[in-house]
Amino acid sequence: METRSITAEVPMVPRMSEDPAKLVPELAEASAALFKLTGNGSVPRSTISLVQLRAGQIVGSTYLTVLHTGFLHKAGESEERITSVASWQDSPYFTGAERAALALVEAVLQPSADGERVSDDLYAQAAEHYDPKALATLMFAIGQVNFFISVALIAKPMPGRSFTDPWK
């Protein structure tokens, strides 16, 4: 496998030349349904965006990281909260509920030395902060970003472009 030099510039073109949403137009309906599902009000949209930003950081997707950072900026989140998502464990800027949500996304996306990624203890901690509907919504929000991780890593849409038009 050929690796790129760390000093080589990354090209500013998407890897996949055609927009997957145009190739598979059913994606628009699925995407809208996921957005509606996670926007049911049981979990603050800012928490969902924090979780999805952390997911982008974990998988190393510049597109997702820039996208969710932009959503958080537009929502009025402070620079301190946005920039400390990567080090949330020792950051004073997050509530217990946000910490539980960030711990869940990390558990789902990172292998565990203990085998089970989401332990009963972690689930119980999250359940202390979220009622059943909110916990299910948070679970689906993590699933939503996981759905788009494959697009971000395989097709490599352009970071910083419009969410609806990253292929131009």
Side-chain angles (χ1 to χ4, degrees):
M1 173 184 264
E2 191 176 319
T3 55
R4 181 179 62 225
S5 163
I6 61 168
T7 59
E9 291 188 27
V10 176
M12 288 296 286
V13 294
R15 180 181 291 151
M16 182 177 271
S17 60
E18 294 184 65
D19 182 346
K22 289 184 180 171
L23 296 171
V24 184
E26 298 85 357
L27 176 64
E29 188 177 333
S31 180
L34 287 169
F35 189 79
K36 182 178 179 184
L37 184 149
T38 61
N40 66 28
S42 64
V43 177
R45 182 56 72 185
S46 61
T47 301
I48 290 170
S49 289
L50 290 168
V51 163
Q52 294 179 335
L53 169 58
R54 185 65 188 126
Q57 292 171 339
I58 291 167
V59 301
S61 169
T62 300
Y63 174 74
L64 290 173
T65 301
V66 169
L67 177 70
H68 292 291
T69 296
F71 287 164
L72 288 161
H73 277 134
K74 286 179 185 171
E77 286 292 337
S78 72
E79 197 63 31
E80 292 83 5
R81 280 173 51 85
I82 294 169
T83 57
S84 66
V85 167
S87 58
W88 65 268
Q89 297 91 337
D90 67 355
S91 171
Y93 301 111
F94 303 105
T95 67
E98 290 167 335
R99 289 174 181 286
L102 290 164
L104 278 175
V105 74
E106 285 195 0
V108 169
L109 290 175
Q110 295 176 332
S112 170
D114 301 329
E116 187 174 31
R117 290 184 186 215
V118 179
S119 67
D120 290 341
D121 184 49
L122 176 55
Y123 181 87
Q125 288 177 40
E128 288 177 17
H129 295 281
Y130 297 100
D131 66 28
K133 180 179 180 177
L135 195 51
T137 300
L138 185 56
M139 176 179 64
F140 294 133
I142 293 168
Q144 177 188 31
V145 75
N146 274 311
F147 181 83
F148 287 104
I149 282 172
S150 60
V151 175
L153 296 179
I154 295 169
K156 285 188 95 170
M158 293 304 305
R161 300 276 173 90
S162 164
F163 175 63
T164 57
D165 230 350
W167 266 266
K168 287 188 176 181

